[in-house]
Short mmCIF file of all heavy atoms in Angstrom, two decimals:
data_model
loop_
_atom_site.label_atom_id
_atom_site.label_comp_id
_atom_site.label_asym_id
_atom_site.label_seq_id
_atom_site.Cartn_x
_atom_site.Cartn_y
_atom_site.Cartn_z
N ALA A 65 -1.77 15.99 -5.47
CA ALA A 65 -3.20 16.25 -5.25
C ALA A 65 -3.39 17.37 -4.24
O ALA A 65 -2.58 17.56 -3.33
CB ALA A 65 -3.90 14.98 -4.77
N THR A 66 -4.45 18.13 -4.41
CA THR A 66 -4.82 19.20 -3.47
C THR A 66 -6.24 18.95 -2.99
O THR A 66 -6.97 18.15 -3.57
CB THR A 66 -4.72 20.59 -4.13
OG1 THR A 66 -5.59 20.61 -5.28
CG2 THR A 66 -3.30 20.91 -4.56
N ASP A 67 -6.61 19.63 -1.95
CA ASP A 67 -7.94 19.50 -1.36
C ASP A 67 -8.25 18.08 -0.93
O ASP A 67 -9.37 17.59 -1.08
CB ASP A 67 -9.03 20.02 -2.32
CG ASP A 67 -8.91 21.52 -2.55
OD1 ASP A 67 -8.40 22.22 -1.65
OD2 ASP A 67 -9.30 22.00 -3.63
N VAL A 68 -7.24 17.39 -0.40
CA VAL A 68 -7.39 16.02 0.09
C VAL A 68 -8.04 16.07 1.46
O VAL A 68 -7.72 16.93 2.29
CB VAL A 68 -6.01 15.32 0.15
CG1 VAL A 68 -6.10 13.95 0.77
CG2 VAL A 68 -5.40 15.26 -1.24
N ALA A 69 -8.96 15.15 1.74
CA ALA A 69 -9.67 15.11 3.02
C ALA A 69 -8.69 14.90 4.18
O ALA A 69 -7.69 14.19 4.04
CB ALA A 69 -10.71 14.00 3.01
N VAL A 70 -9.00 15.51 5.34
CA VAL A 70 -8.12 15.40 6.51
C VAL A 70 -8.00 13.97 7.01
O VAL A 70 -7.00 13.60 7.60
CB VAL A 70 -8.58 16.32 7.67
CG1 VAL A 70 -8.46 17.78 7.28
CG2 VAL A 70 -9.99 15.98 8.12
N ASP A 71 -9.01 13.14 6.75
CA ASP A 71 -9.01 11.76 7.23
C ASP A 71 -8.64 10.76 6.13
O ASP A 71 -9.03 9.60 6.17
CB ASP A 71 -10.38 11.40 7.83
CG ASP A 71 -11.51 11.48 6.81
OD1 ASP A 71 -11.32 12.02 5.70
OD2 ASP A 71 -12.61 10.98 7.13
N THR A 72 -7.84 11.20 5.19
CA THR A 72 -7.48 10.35 4.05
C THR A 72 -6.68 9.11 4.47
O THR A 72 -5.93 9.15 5.44
CB THR A 72 -6.68 11.15 3.00
OG1 THR A 72 -6.58 10.37 1.82
CG2 THR A 72 -5.29 11.49 3.49
N SER A 91 4.38 15.88 7.78
CA SER A 91 3.35 16.88 7.46
C SER A 91 3.72 18.19 8.13
O SER A 91 4.40 18.21 9.16
CB SER A 91 1.97 16.42 7.92
OG SER A 91 1.91 16.34 9.33
N THR A 92 3.26 19.30 7.57
CA THR A 92 3.63 20.60 8.10
C THR A 92 3.14 20.79 9.53
O THR A 92 3.78 21.48 10.31
CB THR A 92 3.11 21.74 7.20
OG1 THR A 92 1.73 21.54 6.92
CG2 THR A 92 3.89 21.79 5.90
N SER A 93 2.04 20.16 9.92
CA SER A 93 1.53 20.29 11.29
C SER A 93 2.24 19.35 12.26
O SER A 93 2.14 19.52 13.46
CB SER A 93 0.03 19.99 11.33
OG SER A 93 -0.19 18.61 11.09
N GLY A 94 2.92 18.34 11.72
CA GLY A 94 3.55 17.34 12.58
C GLY A 94 2.63 16.17 12.90
O GLY A 94 3.06 15.19 13.50
N ASN A 95 1.35 16.25 12.50
CA ASN A 95 0.44 15.12 12.71
C ASN A 95 0.89 13.95 11.85
O ASN A 95 1.22 14.12 10.68
CB ASN A 95 -1.00 15.47 12.33
CG ASN A 95 -1.67 16.35 13.35
OD1 ASN A 95 -1.10 16.63 14.39
ND2 ASN A 95 -2.88 16.77 13.05
N ASN A 96 0.92 12.78 12.42
CA ASN A 96 1.23 11.55 11.70
C ASN A 96 2.65 11.46 11.17
O ASN A 96 2.93 10.67 10.28
CB ASN A 96 0.24 11.33 10.54
CG ASN A 96 -1.16 11.19 11.03
OD1 ASN A 96 -1.45 10.30 11.82
ND2 ASN A 96 -2.05 12.07 10.61
N VAL A 113 -4.35 9.50 13.35
CA VAL A 113 -5.11 10.72 13.59
C VAL A 113 -5.23 11.49 12.28
O VAL A 113 -4.45 11.28 11.35
CB VAL A 113 -4.46 11.63 14.67
CG1 VAL A 113 -4.42 10.95 16.01
CG2 VAL A 113 -3.06 12.05 14.26
N ASP A 114 -6.22 12.37 12.22
CA ASP A 114 -6.43 13.16 11.01
C ASP A 114 -5.30 14.16 10.81
O ASP A 114 -4.68 14.63 11.77
CB ASP A 114 -7.75 13.93 11.09
CG ASP A 114 -8.97 13.02 11.01
OD1 ASP A 114 -8.80 11.83 10.69
OD2 ASP A 114 -10.09 13.52 11.27
N PHE A 115 -5.06 14.51 9.56
CA PHE A 115 -4.14 15.59 9.24
C PHE A 115 -4.84 16.91 9.56
O PHE A 115 -6.07 16.95 9.73
CB PHE A 115 -3.75 15.56 7.76
CG PHE A 115 -2.87 14.39 7.40
CD1 PHE A 115 -3.40 13.27 6.75
CD2 PHE A 115 -1.52 14.39 7.72
CE1 PHE A 115 -2.59 12.20 6.43
CE2 PHE A 115 -0.71 13.31 7.40
CZ PHE A 115 -1.25 12.22 6.75
N ASP A 116 -4.10 17.99 9.63
CA ASP A 116 -4.69 19.31 9.85
C ASP A 116 -5.02 19.95 8.51
O ASP A 116 -4.35 19.69 7.50
CB ASP A 116 -3.71 20.23 10.59
CG ASP A 116 -3.65 19.94 12.08
OD1 ASP A 116 -4.46 19.14 12.58
OD2 ASP A 116 -2.77 20.53 12.75
N ASN A 117 -6.04 20.81 8.53
CA ASN A 117 -6.39 21.55 7.31
C ASN A 117 -5.17 22.34 6.84
O ASN A 117 -4.46 22.93 7.65
CB ASN A 117 -7.55 22.50 7.58
CG ASN A 117 -8.84 21.77 7.76
OD1 ASN A 117 -8.96 20.93 8.62
ND2 ASN A 117 -9.82 22.08 6.93
N GLY A 118 -4.93 22.32 5.55
CA GLY A 118 -3.83 23.04 4.95
C GLY A 118 -2.49 22.34 5.02
O GLY A 118 -1.51 22.84 4.48
N ASP A 119 -2.41 21.18 5.68
CA ASP A 119 -1.15 20.44 5.77
C ASP A 119 -0.63 20.09 4.38
O ASP A 119 -1.39 19.71 3.50
CB ASP A 119 -1.34 19.10 6.49
CG ASP A 119 -0.99 19.15 7.96
OD1 ASP A 119 -0.44 20.16 8.42
OD2 ASP A 119 -1.29 18.15 8.66
N VAL A 120 0.68 20.22 4.21
CA VAL A 120 1.36 19.64 3.06
C VAL A 120 2.00 18.36 3.59
O VAL A 120 2.75 18.40 4.56
CB VAL A 120 2.43 20.58 2.47
CG1 VAL A 120 3.20 19.89 1.37
CG2 VAL A 120 1.77 21.86 1.97
N VAL A 121 1.65 17.23 2.99
CA VAL A 121 2.10 15.93 3.46
C VAL A 121 3.12 15.38 2.46
O VAL A 121 2.84 15.27 1.27
CB VAL A 121 0.92 14.95 3.60
CG1 VAL A 121 1.40 13.59 4.07
CG2 VAL A 121 -0.14 15.53 4.54
N PHE A 142 1.12 15.62 -1.16
CA PHE A 142 -0.24 16.07 -1.43
C PHE A 142 -0.60 17.09 -0.38
O PHE A 142 0.07 17.21 0.65
CB PHE A 142 -1.24 14.89 -1.46
CG PHE A 142 -1.22 14.02 -0.25
CD1 PHE A 142 -2.02 14.29 0.85
CD2 PHE A 142 -0.41 12.89 -0.20
CE1 PHE A 142 -1.99 13.47 1.97
CE2 PHE A 142 -0.39 12.06 0.91
CZ PHE A 142 -1.20 12.35 2.00
N THR A 143 -1.66 17.86 -0.64
CA THR A 143 -2.06 18.93 0.27
C THR A 143 -3.47 18.69 0.77
O THR A 143 -4.39 18.42 -0.01
CB THR A 143 -1.99 20.30 -0.46
OG1 THR A 143 -0.67 20.47 -0.97
CG2 THR A 143 -2.32 21.44 0.48
N ILE A 144 -3.60 18.78 2.08
CA ILE A 144 -4.90 18.62 2.73
C ILE A 144 -5.72 19.88 2.47
O ILE A 144 -5.19 20.99 2.42
CB ILE A 144 -4.72 18.36 4.25
CG1 ILE A 144 -3.84 17.13 4.48
CG2 ILE A 144 -6.05 18.25 4.96
CD1 ILE A 144 -4.38 15.84 3.92
N VAL A 145 -7.03 19.72 2.36
CA VAL A 145 -7.92 20.84 2.08
C VAL A 145 -7.70 21.95 3.10
O VAL A 145 -7.51 21.70 4.29
CB VAL A 145 -9.40 20.38 2.06
CG1 VAL A 145 -9.86 19.93 3.44
CG2 VAL A 145 -10.31 21.47 1.54
N ALA A 146 -7.67 23.18 2.61
CA ALA A 146 -7.46 24.33 3.49
C ALA A 146 -8.71 24.55 4.34
O ALA A 146 -9.83 24.25 3.93
CB ALA A 146 -7.16 25.57 2.67
N ALA A 147 -8.50 25.07 5.54
CA ALA A 147 -9.63 25.38 6.42
C ALA A 147 -10.49 26.45 5.77
O ALA A 147 -9.99 27.33 5.07
CB ALA A 147 -9.11 25.86 7.77
N ALA A 148 -11.77 26.35 6.00
CA ALA A 148 -12.69 27.35 5.47
C ALA A 148 -12.37 28.69 6.12
O ALA A 148 -12.12 28.75 7.33
CB ALA A 148 -14.13 26.94 5.75
N PRO A 149 -12.34 29.77 5.34
CA PRO A 149 -12.05 31.07 5.95
C PRO A 149 -13.14 31.46 6.93
O PRO A 149 -14.31 31.08 6.77
CB PRO A 149 -12.00 32.02 4.75
CG PRO A 149 -12.68 31.31 3.64
CD PRO A 149 -12.61 29.84 3.93
N THR A 150 -12.76 32.20 7.94
CA THR A 150 -13.73 32.68 8.92
C THR A 150 -13.87 34.18 8.80
O THR A 150 -12.95 34.87 8.32
CB THR A 150 -13.28 32.32 10.35
OG1 THR A 150 -12.01 32.91 10.58
CG2 THR A 150 -13.21 30.82 10.55
#
Side-chain angles (χ1 to χ4, degrees):
T66 58
D67 294 332
V68 175
V70 295
D71 62 347
T72 191
S91 66
T92 50
S93 70
N95 285 355
N96 298 301
V113 296
D114 290 350
F115 291 103
D116 282 353
N117 288 58
D119 264 351
V120 174
V121 180
F142 53 89
T143 304
I144 303 300
V145 66
T150 58

